[in-house]
Amino acid sequence: MEKTLKSCYLDNAATSWPKPEAVYKAAEVFLRRGGANPGRSGHTRSLDADRLLFETRERAASFLGAAQPEEIIFTFNATDSLNMAIKGVLEPGDHVIYTSLEHNSVLRPLGSLRQRGVITTTMVSCDSSGWLDPQDIEKAIRPETRLIICTHASNIIGRILPVEEIGLLAKKKEILFLLDSAQTAGALPLDLSRIGADLAAFTGHKSLLGLPGVGLLYLRSGVKIKPWREGGTGSRSEDELQPEIMPDYLEAGTMNTVGIAGLNEGLKYLQKVGIETVREHEIALNRRLIDGLSEIKEVRVFGAKEPRKSVAVTSFTVEGIDSGELGYILEQGFGILSRTGLHCAPCAHRSIGTFPQGTVRFSLSCFTGEEEIDYALASLQEITSRFS
Ligand SMILES: Cc1ncc(COP(=O)(O)O)c(C=O)c1O
């Protein structure tokens, strides 16, 4: 088959590409025309940078349904936010419940705290379609349970989890609820006040369409947390301890201002296009992808196979071809960029029955088009016919 596309990027769950034009421009303009440190100096450029942070924080709060801008903390990625949340709220003796779909950015901080004897944990397993019964979470609750952690959607099969029910359960039992929204913010309508999360982690470079190196932590006002990083904030410099006002309490050190300039434009783009439009576009494309994959007899698709129950992240295997090898063939032979292996979520692969070999993952964005899906399907058809 002739290559009909120069490049076919289907790895948006790792990081989205392309970005809206305004994101690239904002980063360049910020560096060339301003680039100053926000909140530190009294000069005009520093004040401009301060305004940028303020505007982006407000925009993110309103886009995500936070009650106040101060509940949004700038971090460096979702991993940073999850570490800040997990290590900031847990105390020795606490018990944590999490799901088998969690990413290593949850599994590893929990693993290290557990190994050091600081906490105990219970993992609630999803079934092979990624379905999770909130009652299983309820059954795992102990008197010392302090935190429930749940990803909003799997980064392997895209399955959306019943986070509103889990939020209600956590509230009823007075347990903190930490939502990992790395795969959902910017991909589907998300309202933190409805979900009832006490803490939530976001990353700027995936569906929020911003640059790498910027993330967000949502901290519901009133939730107590220890600061993860302490240092300069530009405020109360005479104090020996971290100022307790938000967001300074959790934003020590110079933030990634250029990344924040990009995130602001990513958010603006999503507001302009409308998150419902993005969602419907991705549902339609993912349906086209899943239907097409299901027609190739050597292909096995994992997950709910129902685009409305998932974000546009789809995993599959091809009979007789190792997933890593298939990813290589897709790129070298057809220019298709995918992600293969365990996707930093080994327990999820155990749940869906693909550990340790893993899967090939295609993940879409608001910029993916039908032609890319059709090209990927035709390429897979050609590969399977060659191997059979
Ligand atoms: C569900 C989930 N959580 C957390 C992360 C970590 O995101 P980041 O690498 O931006 O910190 C990812 C990244 O793929 C993810 O998919």
Side-chain angles (χ1 to χ4, degrees):
M1 188 174 76
E2 285 288 300
K3 246 190 233 174
T4 52
L5 294 177
K6 277 203 201 94
S7 102
C8 180
Y9 184 79
L10 298 179
D11 196 18
N12 290 281
T15 196
S16 61
W17 184 88
K19 311 290 182 187
E21 205 43 44
V23 171
Y24 304 122
K25 280 204 186 118
E28 186 178 354
V29 166
F30 180 81
L31 285 175
R32 286 189 189 280
R33 296 209 198 131
N37 204 326
R40 304 300 199 264
S41 320
H43 58 69
T44 46
R45 288 199 196 171
S46 175
L47 294 176
D48 283 347
D50 229 3
R51 268 183 224 108
L52 168 71
L53 261 64
F54 186 77
E55 183 186 321
T56 312
R57 200 187 305 280
E58 274 206 318
R59 194 180 301 286
S62 113
F63 186 76
L64 301 169
Q68 301 162 26
E70 297 71 34
E71 293 177 327
I72 299 289
I73 311 299
F74 289 116
T75 65
F76 299 116
N77 46 45
T79 305
D80 197 32
S81 307
L82 288 161
N83 272 272
M84 284 168 76
I86 291 169
K87 295 172 184 170
V89 299
L90 292 176
E91 298 289 348
D94 285 342
H95 173 246
V96 182
I97 301 171
Y98 63 99
T99 84
S100 62
L101 295 190
E102 301 313 310
H103 188 269
N104 272 340
S105 49
V106 168
L107 301 179
R108 287 179 171 168
L110 289 183
S112 75
L113 289 171
R114 186 176 50 232
Q115 202 183 50
R116 283 188 279 128
V118 180
I119 60 164
T120 54
T121 62
T122 303
M123 184 178 82
V124 173
S125 289
C126 302
D127 74 8
S128 60
S129 77
W131 186 72
L132 174 94
D133 188 346
Q135 282 187 359
D136 289 344
I137 293 199
E138 186 158 14
K139 281 185 213 146
I141 294 174
R142 300 184 198 162
E144 68 274 23
T145 305
R146 170 111 174 103
L147 183 65
I148 297 172
I149 310 177
C150 184
T151 188
H152 196 174
S154 160
N155 68 316
I156 298 174
I157 49 175
R159 183 78 190 241
I160 299 167
L161 294 185
V163 292
E164 285 174 21
E165 280 174 77
I166 296 169
L168 276 176
L169 172 68
K171 192 168 181 192
K172 192 173 90 187
K173 301 283 183 180
E174 296 181 11
I175 297 168
L176 292 173
F177 176 33
L178 166 58
L179 179 77
D180 177 357
S181 192
Q183 292 295 343
T184 51
L188 45 78
L190 191 156
D191 185 350
L192 285 167
S193 63
R194 270 191 52 200
I195 295 172
D198 298 292
L199 306 108
F202 302 92
T203 202
H205 64 97
K206 299 187 197 270
S207 295
L208 290 177
L209 305 174
L211 304 172
V214 63
L216 303 170
L217 170 66
Y218 163 76
L219 185 74
R220 187 176 55 71
S221 106
V223 174
K224 295 269 172 284
I225 191 169
K226 297 181 285 285
W228 162 253
R229 248 181 279 112
E230 287 152 302
T233 56
S235 57
R236 309 231 173 121
S237 296
E238 67 285 5
D239 286 356
E240 202 186 14
L241 296 177
Q242 194 67 10
E244 285 190 7
I245 41 162
M246 285 295 183
D248 300 24
Y249 184 61
L250 296 175
E251 283 183 3
T254 303
M255 292 293 105
N256 176 4
T257 38
V258 65
I260 292 169
L263 178 62
N264 193 27
E265 294 303 323
L267 288 166
K268 274 193 209 167
Y269 180 87
L270 291 167
Q271 285 175 322
K272 193 172 89 193
V273 172
I275 192 70
E276 296 287 353
T277 307
V278 168
R279 176 75 178 135
E280 290 308 315
H281 171 82
E282 292 188 8
I283 286 174
L285 278 190
N286 205 27
R287 175 162 292 125
R288 195 177 183 95
L289 174 65
I290 292 171
D291 288 351
L293 288 173
S294 308
E295 279 170 21
I296 308 174
K297 78 173 184 334
E298 295 84 355
V299 170
R300 177 159 174 223
V301 182
F302 295 88
K305 294 173 216 144
E306 170 40 68
R308 280 205 185 270
K309 291 185 180 161
S310 310
V311 290
V313 174
T314 295
S315 260
F316 61 92
T317 51
V318 173
E319 203 185 307
I321 314 179
D322 170 77
S323 294
E325 193 187 344
L326 180 56
Y328 181 80
I329 297 169
L330 281 167
E331 175 165 16
Q332 297 305 313
F334 301 88
I336 297 170
L337 307 180
S338 63
R339 170 132 185 229
T340 65
L342 293 179
H343 311 94
C344 298
C347 304
H349 277 284
R350 285 199 166 92
S351 284
I352 66 171
T354 49
F355 187 89
Q357 71 277 19
T359 54
V360 177
R361 180 183 76 182
F362 283 170
S363 50
L364 321 181
S365 91
C366 57
F367 293 114
T368 311
E370 284 183 354
E371 64 285 2
E372 284 157 295
I373 304 296
D374 295 346
Y375 176 69
L377 290 169
S379 306
L380 275 171
Q381 243 145 5
E382 185 174 327
I383 294 168
T384 52
S385 66
R386 255 196 246 156
F387 274 75
S388 61

